[in-house]
Amino acid sequence: MELPVVNHKDYVAKIGDDHKFPINKFGELAKYLIDQKIVKNFYNPLACSFETLNRAHSKNYINDIKNKTLDENAIKKIGFPLVDSVVQRSLVATGGTVLASKLALNYGIACNTAGGSHHANYDGGAGYCVFNDVAVAAHYLLDRGLANRILIVDLDVHQGNGNSEIFKDNKHVFTFSMHSKTNYPAKKSISDLDIELQDNLEDDSYIKTLKFYLNELNNENFDFVFYIAGVDIHFNDRLGKLKISDEGIKKRDELVIENFSSKRIPICGVLGGGYNKDFNKLVELHSLLHQSCAKLI
């Protein structure tokens, strides 16, 4: 069977060719997955509905994004221009993670080719994150009784502060973030489990630390996992402060996915951050998530 992977052409928004965020990676990743025969076809998501978004975000914030009436400071905090294609991208990418979570329930494992917008909180966006797709999808599953104890494994180099804030009083969602201590956001929030990593950490220490905490998490009874597989931990990333190699990222992805897949816990993989100085390398690194998942289906 082929790995279920979600993609939509609208994942690539028009933010300007000189923008710091590598928006074209979403389209190029889709091409790469097809060219490398990792997948043959994609599942296409719909734009996320207002009702579904409203479980993780306030009515006012959703309307301000949809109507493009967000104030300038709030737009600046997000880092994207608030144009039609960014609004559409945010709705469709969030719908993509909801769809991928449903596919993971059906097939045991599934991935989006976007997602992991973990800095967005209930009242606003930040750090290139408009809507928090994982938080939205987690609420979607809980509301329908499709999951009861969800784990968010966030291995992006930046703390998943949006998820920890949204779920701080929710006993049905456990937030685990392993991130750079000195990186964005400057003021960290409190996850259920935060592991702060020192600058310039290399593969062996990183994998050893991850293995230890995965073993700790195995003592809990989770029935669904979201995995935010940010590749900004790479040594050549513009916004990372760690020194993880290609092989280290591959090992990390395999470790996480095999850990939960072997226990028959459904897992939904999303991209997370990646700002590599080498664009082609960035696409290749993001594809390691899908390659690791494809081996197990």
Side-chain angles (χ1 to χ4, degrees):
M1 203 193 95
E2 184 175 291
L3 174 72
V5 177
V6 178
N7 180 261
H8 196 289
K9 63 178 176 53
D10 290 348
Y11 284 3
V12 181
K14 296 175 177 67
I15 59 172
D17 293 339
D18 57 346
H19 199 282
K20 284 185 289 189
F21 187 87
I23 196 86
N24 291 325
K25 69 181 181 178
F26 302 110
E28 291 305 313
L29 173 61
K31 283 182 199 164
Y32 186 89
L33 294 176
I34 296 282
D35 290 347
Q36 297 297 315
K37 298 182 170 49
I38 296 156
V39 295
K40 292 192 186 77
N41 300 290
F42 294 110
Y43 288 81
N44 292 119
L46 299 171
C48 194
S49 71
F50 180 93
E51 292 73 23
T52 301
L53 285 170
N54 195 205
R55 293 293 287 114
H57 295 291
S58 72
K59 186 177 177 179
N60 287 344
Y61 176 58
I62 299 165
N63 284 330
D64 277 340
I65 292 293
K66 286 187 150 193
N67 301 327
K68 298 180 300 209
T69 51
L70 202 64
D71 71 72
E72 276 187 42
N73 284 341
I75 294 171
K76 195 174 177 183
K77 198 175 172 189
I78 291 170
F80 288 138
L82 193 52
V83 295
D84 287 341
S85 65
V86 168
V87 174
Q88 172 66 0
R89 182 199 178 277
S90 305
L91 294 168
V92 173
T94 305
T97 297
V98 173
L99 176 55
S101 71
K102 292 194 283 184
L103 290 166
L105 284 172
N106 289 340
Y107 299 104
I109 193 163
C111 295
N112 198 353
T113 48
S117 296
H118 61 169
H119 299 308
N121 63 26
Y122 185 72
D123 289 313
Y128 304 134
C129 302
V130 179
F131 296 126
N132 191 322
D133 57 293
V134 167
V136 170
H139 272 301
Y140 181 93
L141 298 183
L142 292 170
D143 290 347
R144 286 157 183 77
L146 299 170
N148 186 56
R149 184 102 167 95
I150 295 173
L151 170 64
I152 299 173
V153 175
D154 192 338
L155 300 185
D156 189 289
V157 83
H158 307 104
Q159 191 206 29
N161 59 323
N163 284 319
S164 60
E165 286 164 21
I166 288 170
F167 294 115
K168 66 183 174 194
D169 298 318
N170 192 322
K171 298 298 172 212
H172 295 279
V173 179
F174 189 102
T175 53
F176 165 46
S177 181
M178 190 167 111
H179 51 266
S180 162
K181 183 179 182 177
T182 63
N183 214 321
Y184 177 93
K187 188 176 186 297
K188 308 288 190 287
S189 57
I190 301 167
S191 309
D192 291 302
L193 177 59
D194 281 305
I195 306 304
E196 296 192 317
L197 305 172
Q198 298 301 322
D199 288 2
N200 302 312
L201 190 78
E202 296 185 357
D203 289 10
D204 289 350
S205 298
Y206 183 92
I207 296 297
K208 187 179 173 185
T209 304
L210 178 59
K211 275 183 179 173
F212 177 84
Y213 287 104
L214 284 176
N215 283 331
E216 293 284 301
L217 291 167
N218 287 340
N219 295 321
E220 304 274 346
N221 290 313
F222 298 112
D223 56 10
F224 195 92
V225 176
F226 285 99
Y227 173 37
I228 301 174
V231 297
D232 38 13
I233 61 169
H234 192 263
F235 68 87
N236 203 33
D237 197 271
R238 284 189 291 110
L239 302 182
K241 293 190 175 186
L242 305 184
K243 291 281 172 72
I244 311 303
S245 69
D246 299 24
E247 187 57 34
I249 292 176
K250 183 169 179 276
K251 267 188 199 166
R252 175 200 71 172
D253 288 351
E254 288 173 351
L255 191 62
V256 171
I257 293 150
E258 284 171 14
N259 181 73
F260 298 107
S261 183
S262 65
K263 294 168 186 59
R264 300 192 177 279
I265 303 170
I267 183 164
C268 173
V270 297
L271 243 59
Y275 313 89
N276 207 283
K277 293 169 188 170
D278 178 339
F279 181 78
N280 291 332
K281 174 59 69 179
L282 174 60
V283 171
E284 183 190 322
L285 291 171
H286 275 310
S287 79
L288 294 173
L289 166 67
H290 308 82
Q291 292 183 59
S292 301
C293 289
K295 286 178 190 168
L296 295 176
I297 197 144

